[in-house]
Amino acid sequence: MSTDIVITGLGATTPLGGDVRATWDALLAGRSGVSRMRDDWVERYGLPVRIAARLAVDPAGVLPRTEARRMDRCEQVAVIAARQAWADAGLGEDGVDRERLGVVLGTGIGGAATWLDQDRLLRTAGPRRVSPLTIPILMPNGPAAYVGLDLRARAGVHAPVSACASGAEALAWAFRMIRAGEADVVVAGGADACIHPLPMAGFAQARAMSTRNDEPEKASRPFDVSRDGFVLGEGAGVMVLERADFARARDARIHGRLAGVGTSSDGHHITAVDPEGHGQSRAIAAALRVAGLSRTDVRHVNCHATSTPAGDVTETVAIRRVIGDHPVLTAPKSSLGHLMGAAGAVEGVVTLLSVRDDIVPPTLNLVDPDPAVRLDVVTREPRRTGIGAAVSNSAGFGGHNVALIFTKA
């Protein structure tokens, strides 16, 4: 049985577009998905952060109305991205035995909006007004469960919750499922949609978010000396992973390979990264070992880079330690905002497309590079360059680290 794992399907809905093509084109064009929020609660609560990266396409307008009403927004985007990826893979109704089909779909916050809205309803109108669907809508495994039901997956449905590393960890978990012989095909990724007063207030109180309210498109500034925090976004990214011999037997179109995965934990702090980057270093090194690649094989790194003062520099310390100073870097959160549990999955899609097409999207708003970075970050225009292998790096509150290595098929 082949241990090579290939990607045959891609799906996404993001602040830059309602599908993979629209998102990719916008990234290459250097567009931003960040804008000023118009919700009435922004003024009502006097929030210090008034910008966010909202979805370009409302998921409630994509799904049938009755279906959308039974899901939280994060479940809606998960199902939409999964259906796109499934269609892209061309598996159809009979392409795989459902006993050999798995789903791994992570989320960082899950159905927080539903939880908070139903709590408000309970307090203002009483328990009889609370929806009977509250629990399946708010549970963190909801996105994975709805996708699993939609695809009739029976090899296992899993829901890693690893903060902002959740989507990347889902892809690593899917890789391991196939390697272990538990499935031939796994649909994997991440989803989050938590632009809501309480998460916004909590992140703002932690001083983790940018307050550049008057210049929304310039707010997310990875690696720039003036960076002041991330911009909260929403979305989903999903891949269809297959055993290589299974995919080739059905003559599937292959976008590329997931060649290696590595995970680690910092054991340092609930929110702060290890300033020496040792946890991230271990994850990258593990992914290289699994892939059977050397540091010189990696030509590109898609950075987690959230635009926080400490996190961006720490990540580059880890990259230099394990890979060196030769790879070309990019930071998609400058365009997309921070998609939380979906970030690692969407950025995994972006990394795979960079490898497939030999092009790296630009990092926006990098005007005055932090001298501590000391690496080649693509700015202004996309850069065409040969990429045999690339790392997609993710990290999350709690000290979770995930590194994924993508190569050409």
Side-chain angles (χ1 to χ4, degrees):
M1 185 178 291
S2 169
T3 56
D4 273 0
I5 294 162
V6 297
I7 296 100
T8 59
L10 302 174
T13 181
T14 75
L16 291 177
D19 55 29
V20 170
R21 173 48 59 188
T23 298
W24 182 233
D25 287 347
L27 273 174
L28 293 178
R31 293 200 287 272
S32 171
V34 182
S35 62
R36 190 174 177 89
M37 292 189 292
R38 305 297 179 187
D39 309 77
D40 58 5
W41 47 260
V42 176
E43 294 294 337
R44 186 189 322 145
Y45 295 118
L47 291 177
V49 176
R50 296 167 178 246
I51 55 176
R54 289 207 177 272
L55 288 164
V57 178
D58 183 2
V62 176
L63 296 169
R65 184 179 177 186
T66 54
E67 188 176 20
R69 290 179 61 185
R70 300 176 70 86
M71 300 181 191
D72 182 86
R73 190 172 174 91
C74 78
E75 294 166 340
Q76 293 173 358
V77 294
V79 168
I80 288 169
R83 287 176 180 173
Q84 290 176 7
W86 188 259
D88 187 42
L91 282 157
E93 283 296 313
D94 304 314
V96 61
D97 177 357
R98 263 43 181 191
E99 303 286 333
R100 301 287 299 166
L101 171 64
V103 169
V104 189
L105 215 144
T107 185
I109 294 180
T114 292
W115 186 300
L116 295 166
D117 289 344
Q118 291 299 313
D119 176 68
R120 175 184 52 78
L121 200 59
L122 172 65
R123 288 184 285 105
T124 58
R128 295 181 66 85
R129 293 295 303 276
V130 172
S131 169
L133 295 172
T134 295
I135 302 305
I137 290 177
L138 64 81
M139 60 191 189
N141 65 311
Y146 273 109
V147 170
L149 290 168
D150 197 52
L151 298 176
R152 294 178 288 115
R154 300 193 184 98
V157 174
H158 307 286
V161 179
S162 310
C164 306
S166 301
E169 187 162 331
L171 294 169
W173 197 333
F175 178 95
R176 290 165 178 163
M177 280 184 73
I178 297 174
R179 277 281 179 98
E182 297 174 7
D184 297 322
V185 178
V186 181
V187 177
D192 248 332
C194 55
I195 299 175
H196 187 280
L198 186 59
M200 293 288 292
F203 282 127
Q205 284 294 95
R207 298 184 179 180
M209 301 176 72
S210 174
T211 55
R212 201 182 293 267
N213 296 317
D214 295 333
E215 297 180 296
E217 294 184 353
K218 297 180 180 180
S220 184
R221 309 176 70 82
F223 304 128
D224 194 273
V225 293
S226 67
R227 65 190 183 278
D228 66 336
F230 70 82
V231 176
L232 186 61
E234 57 183 354
V238 174
M239 292 183 175
V240 176
L241 289 79
E242 302 188 34
R243 213 178 68 240
D245 56 354
F246 183 88
R248 292 190 175 107
R250 68 180 190 87
D251 199 25
R253 180 188 58 178
I254 295 172
H255 294 287
R257 294 172 63 231
L258 180 53
V261 304
T263 57
S264 73
S265 53
D266 285 351
H268 174 71
H269 190 272
I270 191 63
T271 57
V273 297
D274 171 7
E276 299 299 321
H278 291 301
Q280 293 184 44
S281 296
R282 291 195 304 275
I284 297 169
L288 283 169
R289 286 195 301 272
V290 171
L293 298 174
S294 71
R295 58 192 288 169
T296 56
D297 294 318
V298 177
R299 309 306 302 174
H300 168 49
V301 179
N302 185 300
C303 297
H304 182 67
T306 60
S307 187
T308 56
D312 289 10
V313 171
T314 296
E315 184 175 9
T316 62
V317 169
I319 291 168
R320 286 199 306 272
R321 178 185 294 128
V322 182
I323 302 173
D325 59 6
H326 64 274
V328 173
L329 275 56
T330 193
K333 290 181 182 68
S334 62
S335 295
L336 290 162
H338 192 346
L339 308 188
M340 308 306 288
V346 171
E347 290 166 25
V349 170
V350 171
T351 308
L352 177 63
L353 293 174
S354 288
V355 172
R356 188 193 70 182
D357 298 348
D358 288 317
I359 189 168
V360 178
T363 300
L364 302 190
N365 307 319
L366 182 49
V367 177
D368 190 3
D370 189 322
V373 172
R374 305 202 313 267
L375 289 169
D376 182 7
V377 183
V378 176
T379 62
R380 297 186 182 88
E381 300 290 334
R383 187 182 302 180
R384 291 204 169 273
T385 182
I387 305 172
V391 171
S392 182
N393 212 30
S394 295
F397 279 4
H400 306 279
N401 304 297
V402 181
L404 308 171
I405 296 182
F406 296 95
T407 66
K408 294 188 186 323

